[in-house]
Amino acid sequence: MTEQALSSRVAELTRQINEYNHQYYVLDQPSVPDAEYDRLMRELIDIENKHPELKALDSPSQKVGGEVLTAFTQVTHQLPMLSLDNVFSGEEWQAFVKRLHDRLGSNDTLAMCAEPKLDGLAVSLRYENGVLVQAATRGDGSTGENITENIRTIKSIPLRLNGDKYPGILEVRGEVFMPKASFETLNAQAIKKGEKTFVNPRNAAAGSLRQLDSKITAKRNLAFYAYGIGYVGETAENILGEAWLEGSHYQRLEQLKTLGLPMCPEVRLLASEDECEAFYQDILNRRDELSYEIDGTVLKVDDIALQEQLGFVARAPRWATAYKFPAQEELTVLEDVEFQVGRTGAVTPVARLKPVFVGGVTVSNATLHNQDEIERLEIKVKDTVVIRRAGDVIPQIVSVVKDKRPEDAREIVFPQACPVCGSEVEKPEGEAVLRCTGGLVCGAQRKEAIKHFASRKALDVDGLGDKLVEQLVDENLIAAPADLFTLTEIQISTLERMGQKSAQNLLASLEKAKSTTLARFIYALGIREVGETTAANLANHYLTLEAVMAAGEESLQQVNDIGAVVAHNILHFFQQENNRQAVTALLEVGINWPEIEVKAADEQPLNGQTFVLTGTLSQMGRNEAKAALQSLGAKVSGSVSAKTHYLVAGEKAGSKLTKAQDLGVEVLTEEQMIALLTEHKAIP
């Protein structure tokens, strides 16, 4: 590039980064993912390093954060609150380690303090004579916002330090964040009220911490972890003891714990820089299990004396870096929207994206959920969008970059007829989704209904996979679930990839599947919003299929956990003649189940109690545990609420455990659950 072109590019990068800084730090409304921001910043730094004459004093590369909000009084930091430089690969990490050794002039092993990089808001807490007197955001690194009253509402931050061994002035630095469970609850409440949702937990934490009304902050369930020490107002050796004298960053954090300040439980003291890669990989593997959002690890030289020797650059210490994870959010373009039909007739918009690598895979599709979601996002075809993929979660569009919208962007128009069968589509009252009215005449619903019927939690037909169901429907061999049981060996064996032996095995599986339970049969019918638990409740309440089919709405609402909407769905399903014919046909081909024995009250000692299972159960499978609890009358739910009586926490329990602890729900280990089941003879 010519000098003029380089100068123009620096000016454009500066403009973009300053705008994104303003959105991120001041408005708490980031419009682009961190990965895009990092790319722009790295490009600017790269140009400035190669052409120092283009580095301006006010370059974004020299700044720490954003401008200070005028709504709060300002606080000048006695020691600057700096940011961190980043590395994004093993090669960049090794280059960072080499720079450490080169600056120290030594190849001696370096002990490292390692911790997850919390995705929150950096704050400084000032204690005088052990009492919290002031709290401030990082702001621009030199000046922050006074958020003392809001910080006082965070339960994990002590208003007075423990004991009496602390300096007259102690400044503690750390991260305020919003746990995942709290974030999900906050956004669910916003959606219910028709309010704007937060993009991510960091955005929610920042917005909550900057409320002018501290009562609002108090309701947001924020948390805090300390990660360092700032200004100390007097000689601390005799007060903080040996931990301070040792000059170890990790030991100083341990000292803060004794004073009552929370520290992230994942912080580790590593014997050498060679162990940092393994720490990074371990945290990356467990990322989705943690109860808080992170975007990498922070690796710091542990020796305080070496930290001081290494010093600082304009915006970051030389002795620490953030080793960032692969991006979970990326920018791409919405190229088109197609509409898919599910087994219940729901017409779902699917985003067709310009392929982008995010969360470790290349993503080209994402769900848009429904019309309400499209209106909330204010999204159009050809928009530049932020796509997010975390762990095994289905990719989703989280926001639109409206300043990149092209002139030919077009509205997303929902179909008036089913894209599969041409039947009319309708939007049931109180629902956000459109539905095809074609029922089993709709090819999409027919296939999905049969797949559901044969699935593991329904009739569990071994060997009947999704592709085989599609083949059978496409070849006009089946049109309803009952048709499965009239298939012949010749019909099956002539299909692609199906020989005589495969056909015989499938017929044996179908014969075996005829013997089931009433609960499984009800679930297999695919009644909208009737899951395993609801099907079991119906079976145990009415005892016979005839009684379920004859029940009115008022009667159905007397069943445990069935409200007006689900009762209406059940009644409507059995009122449809084609559904009643489908049930009759299934019974005529020989599907059967044993009669349900009515248990006495003393045989259901857990009746009325709700359990939630989370984490990995090592001694018994989750389905086995669920069945055993239900046999004693317990309800087994998939989510934790104030109505939950017990949470059974297996290995690697995540956000459900955190939420249960926050709500005061009693937590059982797997061993305690097994003891309970054994006591009541639910298991040997």
Side-chain angles (χ1 to χ4, degrees), residues 642-659:
K643 296 181 180 180
T644 304
H645 294 87
Y646 299 98
L647 177 93
V648 179
E651 296 175 10
K652 298 181 180 179
S655 58
K656 289 181 183 178
L657 175 58
T658 302
K659 186 173 183 180

Side-chain angles (χ1 to χ4, degrees), residues 23 32 61 106 143 226 285 287 322 324 386 442 465 480 498 525 527 559 586 591:
Q23 294 170 352
V32 296
S61 67
S106 167
T143 306
N285 291 340
R287 178 184 196 175
K324 300 289 284 290
V386 178
C442 176
M498 293 295 291
L525 294 176
I527 305 169
V559 179
L586 288 166
I591 292 182

Side-chain angles (χ1 to χ4, degrees), residues 109-316:
T109 297
L110 296 173
M112 305 293 291
C113 183
E115 61 197 69
K117 185 178 182 297
L118 298 164
D119 200 9
L121 197 69
V123 299
S124 171
L125 311 179
R126 183 183 177 93
Y127 288 87
E128 294 183 3
N129 298 318
V131 177
L132 178 65
V133 297
Q134 182 178 275
T137 62
R138 179 166 57 192
D140 63 7
S142 299
T143 306
E145 303 102 32
N146 188 330
I147 51 168
T148 307
E149 292 308 309
N150 289 348
I151 283 291
R152 289 178 184 276
T153 69
I154 299 177
K155 296 180 178 65
S156 58
I157 294 178
L159 301 182
R160 176 181 287 278
L161 299 176
N162 290 344
D164 55 7
K165 290 188 176 182
Y166 38 74
I169 299 175
L170 175 63
E171 184 187 343
V172 178
R173 291 177 174 177
E175 197 90 357
V176 170
F177 60 95
M178 180 173 286
K180 292 176 183 176
S182 302
F183 172 71
E184 291 167 3
T185 299
L186 181 63
N187 267 356
Q189 292 171 345
I191 291 172
K192 191 174 182 180
K193 296 177 182 178
E195 299 173 351
K196 186 175 181 180
T197 58
F198 288 100
V199 175
N200 51 49
R202 187 267 164 207
N203 176 227
S208 301
L209 203 53
R210 285 165 160 166
Q211 292 289 330
L212 296 178
D213 184 354
S214 61
K215 292 179 182 176
I216 297 176
T217 308
K219 296 177 181 178
R220 297 287 176 83
N221 196 29
L222 298 175
F224 171 84
Y225 284 145
Y227 60 61
I229 295 172
Y231 179 77
V232 180
E234 62 182 69
T235 304
E237 284 84 347
N238 295 329
I239 299 171
L240 293 176
E242 292 182 4
W244 192 269
L245 287 168
E246 287 176 5
S248 160
H249 185 90
Y250 177 81
Q251 292 301 332
R252 288 187 179 183
L253 291 181
E254 288 289 320
Q255 186 72 26
L256 291 181
K257 276 175 63 176
T258 67
L259 296 177
L261 289 148
M263 184 173 78
C264 177
E266 302 296 337
V267 176
R268 298 288 184 270
L269 176 59
L270 306 180
S272 73
E273 60 270 41
D274 293 338
E275 297 181 15
C276 292
E277 281 277 13
F279 176 83
Y280 167 90
Q281 195 60 51
D282 174 59
I283 295 296
L284 175 58
N285 291 340
R286 296 190 291 117
R287 178 184 196 175
D288 298 325
E289 301 165 11
L290 299 177
S291 62
Y292 43 84
E293 197 70 58
I294 61 174
D295 58 358
T297 58
V298 178
L299 306 167
K300 305 171 182 175
V301 173
D302 185 62
D303 190 300
I304 301 297
L306 293 182
Q307 288 184 5
E308 294 173 353
Q309 184 178 337
L310 288 162
F312 304 85
V313 291
R315 62 191 290 273

